Amino acid sequence: MGFQFRFEPVLAAWPELLEGAWLTIQLSLAAMAIGLVVAVLCALAKTSGPKPVRVVVDFYIEIVRNTPFLVQIFFIYFGLPALGLRLSPGNAALLALVFNVGAYAAEIIRSGIEAVPRGQIEAGIALGLKPLSIFRHIVLKPALRATFPALTSQFTLLMLSTSVLSAISADELTSMANNIQSRTFSSFEVYLVVTVIYFAIYMLFSAMFALINRRAFSYPSK
Amino acid sequence: MTKLTRRTFGVATGALMLAMLAGSTVPASAQTLDSVKQAGKIRVGMLVDVPPFGLMSTTGQPEGFDADIAAMLAEYLGVELELVPVTGPNRIPYLLTGQVDVLAAALGITEERSKQIQFSQPYSGLGAIILAPVDMEVSSFDDLADRSVGLPRGGSQDPVVTSSALPSTQIQRYDDDAGAVQALLSNQVDSLAVATVLVPQIEQMAPGRYDTKFLLYSQVQGIGMRPGEADLLEQVDAFIAQARAEGKLEELYEKWPGTRPADQQD
């Protein structure tokens, strides 16, 4: 009684899978870009912001890092309409991802910022650099360079966690797979194909991260 | 609900054909009514995984709409009741091979099944409908143009909506009934394609906010019996007619919301 693989109905649905994969890539990239900005701002606020701002940022980070992602998604998608904000599944998904990755990445970047030796900053001051220049060139860049591997693994996790978004009917890759699966009953085959696609997306992102690392963070600094 | 898909039905017919092939040893179920009376006991097959028709109670006893109907039938016939749990695919083979005397197993009356077994009068029903806010004017798929419909992925309503909805209708699939219902309640979708069994619960959560717009599909269910037993059919039909006349069926529809046949939906 061998298991009969039925890949035909799954492969026949390739336009759907492609569409889902594309949304997964879009959501991940957008969430990484916006999330990185949120994270840098939060890290800056946490390390050198005024006390009230620090408290707010701390609260945000603790909330996000200590609640399940699925609950955060449900809150944003099902909860916000009660406050009068009705988001499409795609926008709610993006907001949830940014909300989530922003907090995690903020902690990673903060650790990098705190690792910058005090003397380095004093050297910048002694050279007469403006505070913004000091932050950009002397604090942030080394901090990002030092934490880049941790950041990329966080971003990879982010890409994989988009699979949870099917719960709010965002039609990303896993959601499409669930649709195909419920229609064709070839669940094992669908998830096998989808696993391969996720891995391909990961490889793509991995190459992208390596490129960024080489361009932006390699010594000697430009 | 999934018990009633065409696929499980296919399995049932397949199993049935096997049973027939295996079959001259099948008791020539000459007169079920006589044997039931003689044994003082009626064996009723019911599903135990399709609430509210049949489910397992916390103490492991079968209960639900069909269990209540079976108890009433046994009382009507003046015999004891033995409930036999059956599954969607095996219920018709169980009946035809004499493992049970009758079926009260959320069994939809279909033409194909009527070729194999005989059905009583309809006594319950289930289906799926489009539910939307009371003030939204919708009476067909055409009116759902540019609107969204939420539904649970893989539910029986999915293929119906997918094939009939206009291209401009957004179909939003959620992982389960709970997600889809929540999407309607939080205004994330304009309408919901939902099984009738869930409608009373939604009404309870949001009284007066939504009403039924149109029917997606429906089936009525009858008590299944081995074919060619006119006297048993007569008794069972008389029982259902009496239960209906005395308001006992009505009580059961109230007790187990969502079991009322669609044509009697209020």
Side-chain angles (χ1 to χ4, degrees):
Chain A
M1 295 290 263
F3 185 81
Q4 283 287 321
F5 285 101
R6 288 168 52 246
F7 279 104
E8 302 79 35
V10 177
L11 299 178
W14 68 268
E16 277 175 76
L17 289 172
L18 205 62
E19 197 185 314
W22 178 229
L23 187 67
T24 293
I25 293 175
Q26 282 177 303
L27 278 175
S28 309
L29 286 180
M32 284 176 205
I34 305 172
L36 189 63
V37 174
V38 171
V40 168
L41 291 177
C42 286
L44 177 62
K46 246 194 108 163
T47 48
S48 49
K51 178 99 202 222
V53 177
R54 256 184 291 164
V55 170
V56 171
V57 170
D58 261 337
F59 181 69
Y60 157 62
I61 290 174
E62 291 305 308
I63 286 276
V64 171
R65 300 217 313 167
N66 293 297
T67 52
F69 184 45
L70 188 62
V71 174
Q72 295 165 12
I73 296 172
F74 279 153
F75 181 80
I76 287 172
Y77 185 68
F78 292 128
L80 288 188
L83 305 174
L85 184 62
R86 180 176 163 175
L87 294 168
S88 72
N91 289 341
L94 181 58
L95 182 61
L97 289 170
V98 168
F99 185 70
N100 186 272
V101 80
Y104 281 97
E107 281 294 89
I108 294 174
I109 294 172
R110 180 190 59 80
S111 71
I113 288 177
E114 285 177 354
V116 173
R118 184 82 200 140
Q120 212 164 299
I121 299 169
E122 283 163 358
I125 297 171
L127 285 171
L129 290 176
K130 295 201 180 78
L132 192 66
S133 297
I134 294 178
F135 180 70
R136 254 187 72 192
H137 299 293
I138 297 179
V139 178
L140 187 59
K141 198 164 177 184
L144 285 178
R145 177 187 289 128
T147 56
F148 196 70
L151 271 181
T152 56
S153 71
Q154 188 63 48
F155 285 159
T156 305
L157 272 179
L158 163 82
M159 187 273 286
L160 296 179
S161 66
T162 56
S163 60
V164 180
L165 298 170
S166 67
I168 57 167
S169 81
D171 286 326
E172 44 67 53
L173 188 52
T174 302
S175 179
M176 288 302 193
N178 289 341
N179 287 347
I180 297 168
Q181 183 263 122
S182 72
R183 199 173 61 220
T184 62
F185 301 106
S186 301
S187 43
F188 184 72
E189 293 86 337
V190 173
Y191 292 124
L192 200 64
V193 169
V194 162
T195 304
V196 171
I197 298 177
Y198 271 114
F199 191 73
I201 297 177
Y202 160 72
M203 294 295 275
L204 191 75
F205 281 10
S206 185
M208 185 183 78
F209 294 143
L211 189 70
I212 292 174
N213 196 20
R214 213 168 43 241
R215 282 292 163 85
F217 298 128
S218 62
Y219 284 107
S221 265
K222 280 178 216 150
Chain B
M1 195 68 39
T2 51
K3 291 294 160 226
L4 304 161
T5 60
R6 201 175 299 156
R7 198 175 84 112
T8 43
F9 182 67
V11 175
T13 30
L16 171 67
M17 278 158 73
L18 273 181
M20 281 174 149
L21 281 178
S24 41
T25 52
V26 170
S29 51
Q31 293 311 325
T32 305
L33 190 59
D34 293 342
S35 68
V36 162
K37 287 256 159 90
Q38 209 166 16
K41 189 172 80 176
I42 186 166
R43 294 166 304 163
V44 180
M46 67 173 281
L47 298 174
V48 289
D49 56 355
V50 186
F53 295 99
L55 53 149
M56 277 292 181
S57 72
T58 44
T59 55
Q61 295 301 309
E63 64 172 15
F65 180 89
D66 281 333
D68 288 352
I69 277 286
M72 282 160 58
L73 176 65
E75 195 190 321
Y76 179 86
L77 295 174
V79 293
E80 277 186 39
L81 172 68
E82 183 188 336
L83 286 174
V84 181
V86 296
T87 67
N90 78 14
R91 53 192 166 176
I92 291 180
Y94 257 58
L95 176 68
L96 290 173
T97 55
Q99 314 273 348
V100 297
D101 296 314
V102 300
L103 283 177
L107 193 61
I109 302 178
T110 65
E111 202 179 311
E112 277 131 8
R113 286 178 187 152
S114 300
K115 289 174 190 159
Q116 300 156 5
I117 62 175
Q118 60 178 359
F119 282 104
S120 72
Q121 299 272 326
Y123 70 101
S124 66
L126 60 78
I129 51 123
I130 291 288
L131 195 73
V134 174
D135 54 12
M136 189 190 287
E137 293 204 9
V138 170
S139 58
S140 71
F141 276 110
D142 292 343
D143 300 330
L144 284 175
D146 299 314
R147 289 188 163 129
S148 57
V149 184
L151 49 84
R153 218 185 286 289
S156 315
Q157 55 270 52
D158 194 343
V160 182
V161 174
T162 306
S163 62
S164 313
L166 298 179
S168 66
T169 301
Q170 280 176 287
I171 303 173
Q172 288 181 213
R173 296 181 176 81
Y174 296 86
D175 285 349
D176 49 23
D177 277 320
V181 170
Q182 192 55 51
L184 179 74
L185 293 176
S186 56
N187 293 323
Q188 286 288 10
V189 289
D190 299 315
S191 64
L192 183 69
V194 63
T196 46
V197 288
L198 289 178
V199 175
Q201 260 174 288
I202 299 173
E203 179 62 25
Q204 214 170 31
M205 285 186 271
R209 261 174 75 189
Y210 305 102
D211 62 0
T212 299
K213 298 304 183 187
F214 60 93
L215 190 69
L216 289 175
Y217 65 86
S218 71
Q219 68 169 20
V220 287
Q221 288 140 207
I223 291 177
M225 286 156 282
R226 284 181 281 272
E229 297 193 0
D231 52 348
L232 180 62
L233 179 64
E234 196 178 303
Q235 287 274 312
V236 172
D237 273 346
F239 152 71
I240 290 173
Q242 188 189 321
R244 179 165 286 134
E246 289 176 355
K248 284 185 185 162
L249 264 186
E250 190 57 40
E251 277 170 35
L252 284 191
Y253 296 147
E254 297 286 325
K255 180 178 171 190
W256 303 102
T259 52
R260 194 189 297 272
D263 56 357
Q264 295 169 38
Q265 212 76 246
D266 40 29

